Amino acid sequence: MFKNQVSRWLIAAGIIGILVYSLLPAQDYASKAKEKRAQYLENLMKEKDSPIANVADFPGFSYFDPDESWVISADFKATTSDKIFQIIMTDSTVSTLPKLGEATFRKNGEVIKVHIFDEKTHYLLPFRDETNGETTYGGGRYINIPKENLSGNTLVIDFNEAHNFYCAYNEKYICPVPPAENKLPIAVPVGEKTYSQP
């Protein structure tokens, strides 16, 4: 009898716990974005060749407010030829990157197509837009896209995760110049802003 009562109480408590948990508000997009930004800073500080690890009184990064409308589901078409793409670097040398394919999406009334590259652990989107040289770094920005964001013919690109190249923090670094094909004809007012020296 006592065991049966305990079992019923435990079951009831479990059901109540599930109901309470289900009624709690889910973590919103802005909170998740801020957590990712904090993790990005922590990881960058730990890198062996970090461009900011030795900066005294590092002020942190400056960002636009997170905006979930800039999480884009783009149509993706894999590259079937010319898989090696030449990228010009900031020191005028030429490097190569494996081209994964092209992503096409519509934003602000424009149909935009960009080249996506494969960096083994993730996909890479280096790009420029109408904010460069004003609110964002003049040389453009990049997005590391998790490989799980590609499903069939759809690639999810979160422009809130746009970051500056390392040469934005330290001119001694050599960085890729986003290809002309990845010059967006619109402003992208999300992600990382121009870095201000302390």
Side-chain angles (χ1 to χ4, degrees), residues 79-86 97-100 117:
T79 295
T80 54
S81 61
D82 299 326
K83 292 187 177 181
I84 300 301
F85 194 88
Q86 290 190 330
L97 273 175
K99 182 182 170 185
L100 180 73
F117 302 96

Side-chain angles (χ1 to χ4, degrees), residues 14 25 38 48 51 63-64 67 77 88 94 100 116 122 130 135 153 161-162 165-166 168 170 182 196-198:
K48 180 181 177 181
Y63 290 97
F64 292 99
D67 183 349
K77 183 178 180 181
I88 299 173
V94 176
L100 180 73
I116 306 294
H122 57 266
E130 294 297 310
T135 52
N153 296 323
E161 297 189 14
F165 295 104
Y166 284 7
N170 189 329
N182 285 10
S196 297
Q197 295 285 348

Side-chain angles (χ1 to χ4, degrees), residues 9-142:
W9 277 106
L10 288 173
I11 292 170
I15 292 172
I16 291 171
I18 292 170
L19 288 173
V20 170
Y21 181 79
S22 67
L23 293 173
L24 291 174
Q27 186 181 28
D28 63 13
Y29 178 81
S31 298
K32 291 179 181 177
K34 289 173 182 176
E35 284 184 5
K36 287 183 179 180
R37 291 171 179 180
Q39 188 63 54
Y40 174 80
L41 174 58
E42 183 179 336
N43 291 341
L44 192 57
M45 292 292 285
K46 290 178 181 177
E47 281 190 11
K48 180 181 177 181
D49 297 321
S50 171
I52 62 170
N54 297 320
V55 177
D57 301 320
F58 180 68
F61 301 120
S62 179
Y63 290 97
F64 292 99
D65 291 335
D67 183 349
E68 196 169 2
S69 71
W70 281 92
V71 180
I72 306 293
S73 291
D75 294 327
F76 179 77
K77 183 178 180 181
T79 295
T80 54
S81 61
D82 299 326
K83 292 187 177 181
I84 300 301
F85 194 88
Q86 290 190 330
I87 295 283
I88 299 173
M89 308 299 286
T90 50
D91 66 350
S92 298
T93 59
V94 176
S95 185
T96 58
L97 273 175
K99 182 182 170 185
L100 180 73
E102 296 173 352
T104 305
F105 58 93
R106 181 182 290 274
K107 187 68 176 175
N108 295 353
E110 298 278 354
V111 176
I112 299 168
K113 182 185 288 185
V114 290
H115 290 349
I116 306 294
F117 302 96
D118 192 345
E119 286 206 314
K120 296 183 180 180
T121 58
H122 57 266
Y123 302 134
L124 174 69
L125 169 56
F127 72 96
R128 298 191 70 216
D129 70 276
E130 294 297 310
T131 66
N132 298 153
E134 296 182 12
T135 52
T136 64
Y137 177 57
R141 294 177 288 171
Y142 73 93

Side-chain angles (χ1 to χ4, degrees), residues 116 121-125 143-147 149 155-157:
I116 306 294
T121 58
H122 57 266
Y123 302 134
L124 174 69
L125 169 56
I143 303 171
N144 284 337
I145 304 172
K147 291 206 166 184
N149 284 22
L155 179 67
V156 177
I157 305 170

